Amino acid sequence: MAERRRRVRTFEWSTLVIALTSVVAGAIVYLRDGTDRFLAILTNDLWLFSGMLPKMAAGCLIAAFVTRLLPREVVARVVGSESGLVGILVAMVMGAVLPGGPLTIYPVAGAFLLLGADIGTAVAFITAWNLLGYNRALIWELPFFGPEFVGWRIVMALPLPIIAGLLARAVARIAARRWGGDE
Amino acid sequence: MSLITIITIVIGIILWLLVATLAFTAAMRSKALFREGAYEGVRDFVVLIPRVLIGVVGSGYIAAVMPQDLIITWIGPGSGVLGITIAAVFGAATPGGAVVGFAVGAAALKGGAGAPQVIAYTTAWSLYTIQRLFNWEIHMMPPRVVWLRAFVSIPLPIMAGVAAMLIGKP
Protein backbone atom coordinates (compact mmCIF):
# COMPACT_ATOMS: atom_id res chain seq x y z
CA MET A 1 0.00 0.00 0.00
CA ALA A 2 1.21 3.48 -0.77
CA GLU A 3 2.27 5.44 2.25
CA ARG A 4 -0.16 7.99 3.58
CA ARG A 5 0.52 11.34 1.97
CA ARG A 6 -0.80 14.78 2.64
CA ARG A 7 -4.52 14.64 2.11
CA VAL A 8 -4.82 18.33 1.45
CA ARG A 9 -2.63 20.02 -1.10
CA THR A 10 -1.89 23.68 -0.58
CA PHE A 11 -2.25 24.57 -4.24
CA GLU A 12 -4.32 23.22 -7.05
CA TRP A 13 -4.81 24.33 -10.64
CA SER A 14 -8.58 24.04 -10.49
CA THR A 15 -8.68 26.42 -7.52
CA LEU A 16 -6.71 28.95 -9.56
CA VAL A 17 -9.15 28.64 -12.47
CA ILE A 18 -12.11 29.19 -10.14
CA ALA A 19 -10.31 32.12 -8.49
CA LEU A 20 -9.65 33.84 -11.84
CA THR A 21 -13.22 33.20 -13.04
CA SER A 22 -14.52 34.62 -9.76
CA VAL A 23 -12.42 37.78 -10.06
CA VAL A 24 -13.70 38.37 -13.60
CA ALA A 25 -17.31 37.66 -12.57
CA GLY A 26 -16.93 39.90 -9.51
CA ALA A 27 -15.57 42.73 -11.67
CA ILE A 28 -18.50 42.38 -14.10
CA VAL A 29 -21.01 42.51 -11.22
CA TYR A 30 -19.24 45.56 -9.76
CA LEU A 31 -19.17 47.47 -13.06
CA ARG A 32 -22.65 46.41 -14.23
CA ASP A 33 -24.69 46.43 -11.01
CA GLY A 34 -22.74 48.76 -8.74
CA THR A 35 -21.17 48.57 -5.29
CA ASP A 36 -24.35 47.66 -3.38
CA ARG A 37 -25.01 44.44 -5.31
CA PHE A 38 -21.31 43.56 -5.22
CA LEU A 39 -21.24 43.88 -1.42
CA ALA A 40 -24.62 42.14 -0.99
CA ILE A 41 -23.35 38.99 -2.71
CA LEU A 42 -20.08 39.11 -0.75
CA THR A 43 -21.70 39.46 2.68
CA ASN A 44 -24.36 36.86 1.90
CA ASP A 45 -21.75 34.24 0.93
CA LEU A 46 -19.38 35.15 3.76
CA TRP A 47 -22.26 34.72 6.22
CA LEU A 48 -23.01 31.19 4.99
CA PHE A 49 -19.31 30.36 4.99
CA SER A 50 -18.63 31.62 8.51
CA GLY A 51 -21.59 29.63 9.85
CA MET A 52 -20.09 26.43 8.46
CA LEU A 53 -16.53 27.00 9.74
CA PRO A 54 -16.97 25.11 13.04
CA LYS A 55 -18.33 22.06 11.20
CA MET A 56 -15.46 22.20 8.70
CA ALA A 57 -13.01 22.27 11.59
CA ALA A 58 -14.76 19.30 13.21
CA GLY A 59 -14.64 17.44 9.88
CA CYS A 60 -10.88 17.98 9.56
CA LEU A 61 -10.20 16.85 13.12
CA ILE A 62 -12.46 13.77 12.89
CA ALA A 63 -10.71 12.75 9.66
CA ALA A 64 -7.25 13.21 11.19
CA PHE A 65 -8.10 11.09 14.26
CA VAL A 66 -10.07 8.37 12.43
CA THR A 67 -7.14 7.94 10.03
CA ARG A 68 -4.98 7.10 13.05
CA LEU A 69 -7.47 5.08 15.08
CA LEU A 70 -9.01 2.98 12.32
CA PRO A 71 -6.20 1.25 10.43
CA ARG A 72 -6.94 0.59 6.79
CA GLU A 73 -5.93 -3.04 7.23
CA VAL A 74 -8.78 -3.49 9.73
CA VAL A 75 -11.30 -2.03 7.28
CA ALA A 76 -10.04 -4.30 4.51
CA ARG A 77 -10.30 -7.36 6.76
CA VAL A 78 -13.81 -6.54 8.05
CA VAL A 79 -15.22 -5.87 4.58
CA GLY A 80 -13.29 -8.68 2.92
CA SER A 81 -14.73 -11.32 5.25
CA GLU A 82 -18.39 -10.39 4.66
CA SER A 83 -20.49 -11.44 1.72
CA GLY A 84 -24.03 -11.11 0.38
CA LEU A 85 -26.20 -8.13 1.19
CA VAL A 86 -24.49 -7.78 4.58
CA GLY A 87 -21.18 -7.40 2.76
CA ILE A 88 -22.58 -4.56 0.67
CA LEU A 89 -24.05 -2.83 3.76
CA VAL A 90 -20.79 -3.14 5.72
CA ALA A 91 -18.85 -1.84 2.70
CA MET A 92 -21.23 1.10 2.45
CA VAL A 93 -20.79 2.08 6.11
CA MET A 94 -17.01 1.73 5.87
CA GLY A 95 -16.91 3.77 2.67
CA ALA A 96 -18.83 6.56 4.37
CA VAL A 97 -16.73 6.47 7.55
CA LEU A 98 -13.19 6.05 6.23
CA PRO A 99 -11.65 9.47 5.60
CA GLY A 100 -9.00 10.25 3.07
CA GLY A 101 -8.44 10.65 -0.62
CA PRO A 102 -7.95 8.23 -3.51
CA LEU A 103 -4.59 7.12 -2.07
CA THR A 104 -6.43 5.65 0.91
CA ILE A 105 -9.64 4.41 -0.66
CA TYR A 106 -8.51 2.50 -3.75
CA PRO A 107 -5.82 0.44 -2.00
CA VAL A 108 -8.38 -0.54 0.67
CA ALA A 109 -10.90 -1.58 -1.99
CA GLY A 110 -8.19 -3.50 -3.82
CA ALA A 111 -7.14 -5.20 -0.58
CA PHE A 112 -10.56 -6.55 0.27
CA LEU A 113 -11.00 -7.83 -3.26
CA LEU A 114 -7.86 -9.87 -2.61
CA LEU A 115 -9.26 -10.99 0.74
CA GLY A 116 -12.26 -12.54 -0.96
CA ALA A 117 -14.91 -9.82 -1.26
CA ASP A 118 -16.77 -9.75 -4.55
CA ILE A 119 -16.88 -6.97 -7.12
CA GLY A 120 -20.27 -5.67 -5.89
CA THR A 121 -18.80 -5.04 -2.44
CA ALA A 122 -15.93 -3.03 -3.91
CA VAL A 123 -18.31 -0.98 -6.06
CA ALA A 124 -20.61 -0.28 -3.07
CA PHE A 125 -17.58 0.81 -1.02
CA ILE A 126 -16.26 3.27 -3.63
CA THR A 127 -19.76 4.59 -4.37
CA ALA A 128 -20.40 5.20 -0.66
CA TRP A 129 -17.07 6.99 -0.35
CA ASN A 130 -17.99 9.19 -3.34
CA LEU A 131 -21.53 10.03 -2.26
CA LEU A 132 -21.81 9.60 1.52
CA GLY A 133 -18.32 10.40 2.84
CA TYR A 134 -18.80 12.79 5.76
CA ASN A 135 -15.38 14.18 5.07
CA ARG A 136 -16.29 15.75 1.75
CA ALA A 137 -19.80 16.70 2.85
CA LEU A 138 -18.60 18.61 5.93
CA ILE A 139 -15.51 20.23 4.52
CA TRP A 140 -16.50 20.99 0.94
CA GLU A 141 -20.20 20.68 0.31
CA LEU A 142 -21.63 22.36 3.41
CA PRO A 143 -20.06 25.82 2.96
CA PHE A 144 -21.31 25.90 -0.64
CA PHE A 145 -24.86 24.65 -0.21
CA GLY A 146 -25.82 24.95 3.44
CA PRO A 147 -27.19 22.21 5.71
CA GLU A 148 -30.68 21.76 4.25
CA PHE A 149 -29.55 21.06 0.72
CA VAL A 150 -26.68 18.80 1.79
CA GLY A 151 -28.94 16.91 4.21
CA TRP A 152 -31.50 16.10 1.53
CA ARG A 153 -28.79 15.33 -1.02
CA ILE A 154 -27.39 12.71 1.35
CA VAL A 155 -30.85 11.25 2.03
CA MET A 156 -31.36 10.85 -1.74
CA ALA A 157 -27.94 9.21 -2.06
CA LEU A 158 -28.40 6.71 0.82
CA PRO A 159 -29.76 3.80 -1.27
CA LEU A 160 -27.40 4.40 -4.20
CA PRO A 161 -24.33 2.43 -2.98
CA ILE A 162 -26.56 -0.61 -2.36
CA ILE A 163 -28.14 -0.27 -5.82
CA ALA A 164 -24.70 0.14 -7.42
CA GLY A 165 -23.33 -2.90 -5.56
CA LEU A 166 -26.26 -5.16 -6.50
CA LEU A 167 -26.21 -3.94 -10.11
CA ALA A 168 -22.45 -4.59 -10.32
CA ARG A 169 -22.99 -8.13 -9.02
CA ALA A 170 -25.75 -8.78 -11.55
CA VAL A 171 -23.73 -7.40 -14.46
CA ALA A 172 -20.63 -9.36 -13.41
CA ARG A 173 -22.71 -12.55 -13.24
CA ILE A 174 -24.19 -11.97 -16.70
CA ALA A 175 -20.75 -11.18 -18.12
CA ALA A 176 -19.31 -14.35 -16.56
CA ARG A 177 -22.11 -16.49 -17.98
CA ARG A 178 -21.76 -15.05 -21.46
CA TRP A 179 -18.00 -14.78 -21.80
CA GLY A 180 -16.83 -17.15 -19.09
CA GLY A 181 -14.06 -16.32 -16.68
CA ASP A 182 -14.27 -15.37 -13.05
CA GLU A 183 -17.03 -13.21 -11.72
CA MET B 1 -36.24 28.81 15.64
CA SER B 2 -36.89 26.70 12.56
CA LEU B 3 -36.48 22.95 12.54
CA ILE B 4 -33.51 23.21 10.19
CA THR B 5 -31.71 25.57 12.60
CA ILE B 6 -32.28 23.16 15.50
CA ILE B 7 -31.08 20.16 13.49
CA THR B 8 -28.00 22.13 12.37
CA ILE B 9 -27.13 23.00 15.97
CA VAL B 10 -27.67 19.40 17.13
CA ILE B 11 -25.44 18.08 14.33
CA GLY B 12 -22.77 20.62 15.31
CA ILE B 13 -22.87 19.41 18.92
CA ILE B 14 -22.72 15.73 17.86
CA LEU B 15 -19.74 16.45 15.61
CA TRP B 16 -17.77 18.13 18.38
CA LEU B 17 -18.67 15.36 20.85
CA LEU B 18 -17.29 12.96 18.26
CA VAL B 19 -14.11 15.06 17.99
CA ALA B 20 -13.76 15.00 21.78
CA THR B 21 -14.30 11.21 21.95
CA LEU B 22 -11.79 10.52 19.19
CA ALA B 23 -9.25 12.94 20.65
CA PHE B 24 -9.65 11.32 24.08
CA THR B 25 -9.27 7.81 22.61
CA ALA B 26 -6.13 8.91 20.76
CA ALA B 27 -4.71 10.54 23.89
CA MET B 28 -5.33 7.31 25.87
CA ARG B 29 -3.30 5.34 23.32
CA SER B 30 -0.40 7.76 23.27
CA LYS B 31 0.36 11.44 23.60
CA ALA B 32 2.14 11.44 20.22
CA LEU B 33 -0.93 10.02 18.48
CA PHE B 34 -3.08 12.79 19.93
CA ARG B 35 -0.58 15.50 19.04
CA GLU B 36 -0.18 14.26 15.45
CA GLY B 37 -3.93 14.01 14.94
CA ALA B 38 -4.67 17.43 16.38
CA TYR B 39 -1.84 19.01 14.40
CA GLU B 40 -2.91 17.46 11.09
CA GLY B 41 -6.58 18.30 11.65
CA VAL B 42 -5.87 21.95 12.42
CA ARG B 43 -3.35 22.23 9.60
CA ASP B 44 -5.77 20.81 7.02
CA PHE B 45 -8.47 23.18 8.23
CA VAL B 46 -6.24 26.23 7.92
CA VAL B 47 -5.08 25.20 4.44
CA LEU B 48 -8.66 24.57 3.34
CA ILE B 49 -10.17 27.89 4.47
CA PRO B 50 -8.88 30.08 1.60
CA ARG B 51 -9.65 27.45 -1.03
CA VAL B 52 -13.23 26.90 0.07
CA LEU B 53 -13.69 30.63 0.62
CA ILE B 54 -12.62 31.39 -2.97
CA GLY B 55 -15.12 28.87 -4.28
CA VAL B 56 -18.02 29.95 -2.06
CA VAL B 57 -17.66 33.68 -2.74
CA GLY B 58 -16.82 33.01 -6.39
CA SER B 59 -19.96 30.94 -6.93
CA GLY B 60 -22.07 33.94 -5.88
CA TYR B 61 -20.47 36.19 -8.52
CA ILE B 62 -20.42 33.49 -11.20
CA ALA B 63 -24.15 32.93 -10.56
CA ALA B 64 -24.79 36.66 -10.97
CA VAL B 65 -23.19 36.80 -14.43
CA MET B 66 -24.50 33.49 -15.77
CA PRO B 67 -27.34 33.74 -18.32
CA GLN B 68 -30.26 33.11 -16.01
CA ASP B 69 -32.97 32.41 -18.59
CA LEU B 70 -30.76 29.81 -20.25
CA ILE B 71 -30.21 28.04 -16.92
CA ILE B 72 -33.92 28.14 -16.04
CA THR B 73 -34.92 26.79 -19.45
CA TRP B 74 -32.48 23.88 -19.42
CA ILE B 75 -32.05 22.90 -15.78
CA GLY B 76 -34.62 25.03 -13.96
CA PRO B 77 -37.18 23.66 -11.48
CA GLY B 78 -39.62 23.07 -14.35
CA SER B 79 -37.17 21.18 -16.56
CA GLY B 80 -38.15 17.78 -15.14
CA VAL B 81 -36.38 14.52 -15.97
CA LEU B 82 -34.81 16.00 -19.11
CA GLY B 83 -33.22 18.76 -17.01
CA ILE B 84 -32.03 16.16 -14.50
CA THR B 85 -30.43 14.15 -17.30
CA ILE B 86 -28.77 17.24 -18.80
CA ALA B 87 -27.41 18.23 -15.37
CA ALA B 88 -26.12 14.69 -14.79
CA VAL B 89 -24.26 14.69 -18.13
CA PHE B 90 -22.68 18.06 -17.31
CA GLY B 91 -21.74 16.82 -13.85
CA ALA B 92 -19.99 13.74 -15.23
CA ALA B 93 -18.11 15.93 -17.74
CA THR B 94 -16.98 18.63 -15.27
CA PRO B 95 -13.21 18.39 -14.77
CA GLY B 96 -11.30 19.59 -11.73
CA GLY B 97 -11.22 19.20 -7.99
CA ALA B 98 -13.84 19.67 -5.29
CA VAL B 99 -13.80 23.47 -5.58
CA VAL B 100 -14.82 23.35 -9.25
CA GLY B 101 -17.62 20.80 -8.90
CA PHE B 102 -19.24 22.44 -5.89
CA ALA B 103 -18.69 26.03 -7.07
CA VAL B 104 -20.36 25.33 -10.42
CA GLY B 105 -23.23 23.47 -8.72
CA ALA B 106 -23.74 26.24 -6.16
CA ALA B 107 -23.56 28.91 -8.89
CA ALA B 108 -26.20 27.05 -10.92
CA LEU B 109 -28.47 26.75 -7.86
CA LYS B 110 -28.12 30.47 -7.08
CA GLY B 111 -28.62 31.24 -10.77
CA GLY B 112 -32.01 29.57 -10.98
CA ALA B 113 -31.39 25.84 -11.45
CA GLY B 114 -33.77 23.41 -9.71
CA ALA B 115 -32.60 21.58 -6.56
CA PRO B 116 -33.23 18.08 -8.06
CA GLN B 117 -31.21 19.08 -11.11
CA VAL B 118 -28.32 20.33 -8.94
CA ILE B 119 -28.47 17.11 -6.88
CA ALA B 120 -28.14 15.14 -10.12
CA TYR B 121 -25.22 17.39 -11.12
CA THR B 122 -23.22 17.01 -7.89
CA THR B 123 -23.99 13.28 -7.69
CA ALA B 124 -22.76 12.69 -11.24
CA TRP B 125 -19.71 14.86 -10.64
CA SER B 126 -18.86 12.96 -7.41
CA LEU B 127 -19.20 9.58 -9.12
CA TYR B 128 -17.21 10.40 -12.24
CA THR B 129 -14.64 13.09 -11.29
CA ILE B 130 -12.65 12.54 -14.46
CA GLN B 131 -9.20 13.40 -13.15
CA ARG B 132 -9.61 11.04 -10.22
CA LEU B 133 -10.82 8.27 -12.49
CA PHE B 134 -7.86 8.55 -14.87
CA ASN B 135 -5.13 9.65 -12.46
CA TRP B 136 -5.86 7.27 -9.63
CA GLU B 137 -8.60 4.72 -10.02
CA ILE B 138 -7.39 3.24 -13.33
CA HIS B 139 -3.91 2.70 -11.88
CA MET B 140 -4.88 1.44 -8.45
CA MET B 141 -7.82 -0.87 -9.17
CA PRO B 142 -8.31 -3.83 -11.50
CA PRO B 143 -9.62 -2.30 -14.77
CA ARG B 144 -12.75 -4.47 -14.83
CA VAL B 145 -13.77 -3.04 -11.42
CA VAL B 146 -13.27 0.53 -12.69
CA TRP B 147 -15.32 0.01 -15.86
CA LEU B 148 -18.02 -1.91 -14.06
CA ARG B 149 -18.31 0.85 -11.46
CA ALA B 150 -18.49 3.51 -14.17
CA PHE B 151 -21.15 1.48 -16.00
CA VAL B 152 -23.45 0.78 -13.06
CA SER B 153 -23.12 4.42 -11.91
CA ILE B 154 -24.90 5.71 -15.02
CA PRO B 155 -28.47 5.61 -13.60
CA LEU B 156 -27.52 6.77 -10.06
CA PRO B 157 -27.47 10.60 -10.54
CA ILE B 158 -30.80 10.46 -12.37
CA MET B 159 -32.30 8.29 -9.59
CA ALA B 160 -31.16 10.82 -6.95
CA GLY B 161 -32.55 13.76 -8.94
CA VAL B 162 -35.89 12.07 -9.67
CA ALA B 163 -36.26 11.03 -6.02
CA ALA B 164 -35.68 14.64 -4.95
CA MET B 165 -38.21 15.82 -7.53
CA LEU B 166 -40.85 13.30 -6.41
CA ILE B 167 -40.71 14.22 -2.71
CA GLY B 168 -40.29 17.92 -3.52
CA LYS B 169 -37.23 18.44 -1.30
CA PRO B 170 -35.06 20.38 -0.68
Side-chain angles (χ1 to χ4, degrees):
Chain A
M1 269 183 210
E3 239 332 283
R4 196 168 53 79
R5 273 186 228 166
R6 296 241 54 91
R7 222 160 15 87
V8 177
R9 277 173 291 167
T10 42
F11 180 81
E12 214 190 38
W13 277 104
S14 51
T15 311
L16 186 69
V17 171
I18 284 290
L20 291 176
T21 316
S22 305
V23 169
V24 173
I28 292 173
V29 170
Y30 183 79
L31 295 173
R32 190 187 62 186
D33 307 329
T35 320
D36 286 354
R37 176 113 163 88
F38 180 85
L39 288 178
I41 292 174
L42 186 67
T43 46
N44 186 31
D45 289 331
L46 283 179
W47 181 248
L48 175 66
F49 179 75
S50 60
M52 296 306 136
L53 276 175
K55 292 191 182 61
M56 283 172 66
C60 290
L61 285 165
I62 292 170
F65 283 120
V66 170
T67 308
R68 287 172 169 74
L69 295 172
L70 184 73
R72 293 177 295 177
E73 293 72 23
V74 173
V75 174
R77 212 180 320 125
V78 168
V79 179
S81 63
E82 296 289 347
S83 62
L85 189 61
V86 180
I88 285 183
L89 286 172
V90 171
M92 173 175 146
V93 172
M94 288 298 180
V97 170
L98 197 67
L103 267 176
T104 314
I105 296 303
Y106 297 127
V108 172
F112 60 64
L113 277 174
L114 289 178
L115 289 166
D118 76 314
I119 206 161
T121 315
V123 168
F125 176 77
I126 296 172
T127 307
W129 172 65
N130 280 332
L131 298 181
L132 305 177
Y134 70 88
N135 207 7
R136 191 185 300 171
L138 282 177
I139 297 169
W140 293 105
E141 207 178 350
L142 212 48
F144 281 98
F145 291 103
E148 191 181 2
F149 183 91
V150 176
W152 282 110
R153 208 273 305 150
I154 290 174
V155 170
M156 301 307 151
L158 271 181
L160 299 183
I162 304 169
I163 294 171
L166 294 176
L167 262 178
R169 255 181 212 171
V171 173
R173 205 169 300 138
I174 291 167
R177 204 175 299 148
R178 180 153 301 181
W179 293 292
D182 56 334
E183 257 185 39
Chain B
M1 241 192 315
S2 72
L3 185 65
I4 290 292
T5 319
I6 296 168
I7 292 174
T8 310
I9 292 171
V10 170
I11 289 177
I13 294 169
I14 293 171
L15 284 174
W16 280 99
L17 284 176
L18 199 58
V19 172
T21 314
L22 288 167
F24 183 73
T25 315
M28 287 284 100
R29 294 246 186 108
S30 85
K31 281 233 173 63
L33 198 70
F34 170 79
R35 221 177 303 127
E36 275 173 31
Y39 174 78
E40 191 188 286
V42 172
R43 202 205 82 109
D44 286 353
F45 177 59
V46 172
V47 170
L48 276 166
I49 290 176
R51 287 177 53 185
V52 179
L53 186 63
I54 289 168
V56 171
V57 173
S59 69
Y61 290 121
I62 295 169
V65 298
M66 283 206 296
Q68 200 156 5
D69 17 313
L70 217 64
I71 291 176
I72 292 173
T73 315
W74 288 99
I75 53 169
S79 62
V81 180
L82 183 65
I84 288 172
T85 312
I86 292 169
V89 171
F90 270 100
T94 303
V99 183
V100 180
F102 290 132
V104 172
L109 191 66
K110 289 169 187 167
Q117 283 74 17
V118 176
I119 285 181
Y121 175 86
T122 55
T123 305
W125 173 78
S126 302
L127 287 170
Y128 285 102
T129 316
I130 292 171
Q131 276 157 334
R132 198 172 62 219
L133 201 73
F134 285 108
N135 289 350
W136 302 104
E137 195 166 354
I138 285 283
H139 305 294
M140 301 177 87
M141 297 292 289
R144 66 195 173 101
V145 180
V146 180
W147 298 124
L148 189 61
R149 190 188 76 73
F151 178 67
V152 300
S153 294
I154 293 170
L156 304 184
I158 297 166
M159 282 176 173
V162 170
M165 192 171 70
L166 289 178
I167 64 160
K169 297 268 186 192

